[in-house]
Amino acid sequence: MLVAGFTFNAFSENTYLLIDEATRQCAIVDPGCYDRAEQQALREYIEAEKLQVVLLLNTHAHIDHVLGNQFVIDTYKVPYLLHEADLPVLRAVPTYAANYGFPAYSPAEPTGTLTPDKAVRIGETELEVRFAPGHAPGHVVFYHAPTHTVIGGDVLFQGSIGRTDLPGGNHATLLQSIRTQLLTLPNETVVYPGHGPATTIGAEHQSNPFLQ
């Protein structure tokens, strides 16, 4: 599996393409592309790399991670999966999108649900879904064991952790999620977070001040 990343919108949110090398099928995770230039950048990369988009995934449904959901659905006609516990978070976005500077936000409804006991497949690539609430009630992360890769959303960052002061957040729950769902992975596992640079489980285990 290959990972391609883009940074979009005013929140500097990381959008990822998860690419199955054998089939060139890919999933789009947390599309934050809001304006036309951001949407075009994503579309041009997909066309240039001759990728077939087969799935839309959200780690969670805060506004900066879902701004491009409807664009992806309209453009690629793909299923959209979200953990059911984050449906209230998703459905709240239209009530505050304009206040955050996104008046043209177009809401999208999931076509299916993410559950920890059901892997996600992209071509020949299989992703383990790990339930990691705390930042958001239905937050999940996606783990690819063969390449020791985690698409982590807003759970664990380089030197930091996700905020827990938003509705549905809980600091103790987030720390428990990190310890049970992330720190149990091999130290060489690369974490691609929802904001900022990638890191590794080993580096965060050793030096992240929130985890000492």
Side-chain angles (χ1 to χ4, degrees):
M1 183 183 75
L2 300 175
V3 179
F6 304 81
T7 301
F8 291 138
N9 69 56
F11 293 94
S12 296
E13 182 270 348
N14 293 332
T15 295
Y16 295 107
L17 296 180
L18 309 185
I19 304 165
D20 177 66
E21 294 182 80
T23 63
R24 304 303 288 174
Q25 292 185 355
C26 73
I28 301 177
V29 182
D30 292 351
C33 46
Y34 175 71
D35 62 33
R36 189 165 298 177
E38 292 175 341
Q39 294 169 355
Q40 187 64 19
L42 184 65
R43 185 163 46 203
E44 287 179 353
Y45 182 90
I46 290 168
E47 291 174 356
E49 295 297 318
K50 297 180 170 57
L51 303 178
Q52 178 192 3
V53 182
V54 296
L55 201 56
L56 166 60
L57 305 171
N58 282 160
T59 59
H60 66 296
H62 288 148
I63 186 170
D64 48 329
H65 293 255
V66 304
L67 287 168
N69 278 354
Q70 192 60 53
F71 163 75
V72 170
I73 293 169
D74 289 344
T75 304
Y76 300 106
K77 309 297 189 291
V78 292
Y80 162 33
L81 306 182
L82 175 75
H83 192 284
E84 63 182 359
D86 241 41
L87 281 172
V89 178
L90 177 70
R91 291 169 180 163
V93 173
T95 68
Y96 66 84
N99 291 337
Y100 275 71
F102 304 105
Y105 168 72
S106 181
E109 277 288 308
T111 57
T113 57
L114 293 166
T115 56
D117 59 349
K118 186 177 180 182
V120 171
R121 292 194 65 86
I122 309 158
E124 298 177 9
T125 295
E126 185 171 283
L127 298 173
E128 179 185 345
V129 179
R130 292 186 160 221
F131 186 48
H135 173 71
H139 203 302
V140 301
V141 301
F142 303 104
Y143 177 55
H144 185 241
T147 56
H148 299 304
T149 300
V150 167
I151 307 301
D154 290 357
V155 174
L156 180 65
F157 301 118
Q158 185 183 73
S160 189
I161 61 174
R163 60 186 295 182
T164 55
D165 58 336
L166 299 172
N170 183 281
H171 185 75
T173 300
L174 179 62
L175 290 177
Q176 177 72 3
S177 292
I178 293 171
R179 292 190 176 109
T180 60
Q181 301 303 317
L182 291 177
L183 296 188
T184 53
L185 298 173
N187 282 336
E188 64 267 29
T189 302
V190 178
V191 180
Y192 291 94
H195 305 268
T199 185
T200 66
I201 293 296
E204 299 314 306
H205 204 297
Q206 183 175 30
S207 62
N208 190 310
F210 293 92
L211 305 178
Q212 304 309 306

